[in-house]
Amino acid sequence: MKTNTALLLLSSLLLVSACGSDKSDPEKETVLPTGKLSLGISDSPMSGVSHLGLVLDELIMTDAAGVIVRHDLQDMSFNLLNYQGIDSHMVISGIDLPQGRYHDAYITVHQGDGSQGCYLENGQGRHGLHVTDGQLPIHDFELTAGQHLSLTMEIDLYRGLSYHQGQYKLNHDGMWSVDN
């Protein structure tokens, strides 16, 4: 009888210890396939403007599930006029993102006051530049697993730049994205 009791006790302990493990197997975890995204910015020139400084803060986009994805651009600054025609300033290069559709994508900028943030230089000096809603819009896009999507944001200063009541403004109607 002692042998049966001991076997029953040993079997129960093995069963309980086998059920108590809650560790996940890393090889069995679901990993979404990814694609790569690159984004550049280019412009068309405007007479009278000698320098257009952009200061970029963050790339923000929303995935199909409604999750907001952010990528810090670390206050990237550059002269937009140095990137005209087929030349573009590479803002992000080959970041990995889960596959799927992305919408409401934009880059936030630091609004300018003439000494900090975005600015414009012309024959009359340096002036603060305000961008509509503080953001440069990017059209919706879809990323496929293994794909490298390369976009360029075109900024047409003739259509988008205005001067109103002592303030230079860059409006969205002079911006669009192109799939390279």
Side-chain angles (χ1 to χ4, degrees), residues 7-112:
L7 284 174
L8 184 59
L9 183 60
L10 182 60
S11 304
S12 297
L13 285 174
L14 289 174
L15 183 62
V16 169
S17 67
C19 292
S21 177
D22 191 29
K23 294 181 182 174
S24 60
D25 184 355
E27 292 179 13
K28 292 183 181 178
E29 288 183 19
T30 305
V31 176
L32 293 175
T34 62
K36 293 192 180 294
L37 175 68
S38 293
L39 175 67
I41 296 180
S42 177
D43 91 299
S44 59
M46 181 172 188
S47 61
V49 177
S50 59
H51 198 103
L52 194 132
L54 290 179
V55 182
L56 310 180
D57 181 38
E58 192 173 34
L59 169 65
I60 300 173
M61 61 202 117
T62 306
D63 70 12
V67 176
I68 296 175
V69 179
R70 298 174 176 273
H71 182 76
D72 186 8
L73 299 175
Q74 302 175 345
D75 297 333
M76 177 185 294
S77 62
F78 61 98
N79 178 5
L80 181 63
L81 297 182
N82 288 340
Y83 304 96
Q84 298 177 8
I86 62 170
D87 293 332
S88 64
H89 177 76
M90 189 58 62
V91 175
I92 57 173
S93 180
I95 60 170
D96 287 317
L97 294 172
Q99 72 177 359
R101 291 200 52 73
Y102 291 85
H103 61 281
D104 298 330
Y106 57 91
I107 295 173
T108 59
V109 300
H110 291 285
Q111 300 287 27

Side-chain angles (χ1 to χ4, degrees), residues 108-170:
T108 59
V109 300
H110 291 285
Q111 300 287 27
D113 62 10
S115 61
Q116 295 182 359
C118 297
Y119 64 95
L120 176 140
E121 286 181 5
N122 60 15
Q124 285 75 45
R126 183 175 171 149
H127 313 277
L129 176 67
H130 280 256
V131 178
T132 302
D133 299 327
Q135 52 189 243
L136 305 172
I138 303 166
H139 70 72
D140 297 351
F141 60 91
E142 184 167 357
L143 208 56
T144 305
Q147 173 191 15
H148 187 155
L149 179 62
S150 181
L151 301 173
T152 300
M153 174 184 293
E154 294 287 345
I155 299 177
D156 183 348
L157 295 179
Y158 282 108
R159 289 182 23 201
L161 187 63
S162 64
Y163 182 79
H164 184 66
Q165 296 178 346
Q167 179 72 45
Y168 281 96
K169 295 182 181 184
L170 186 57

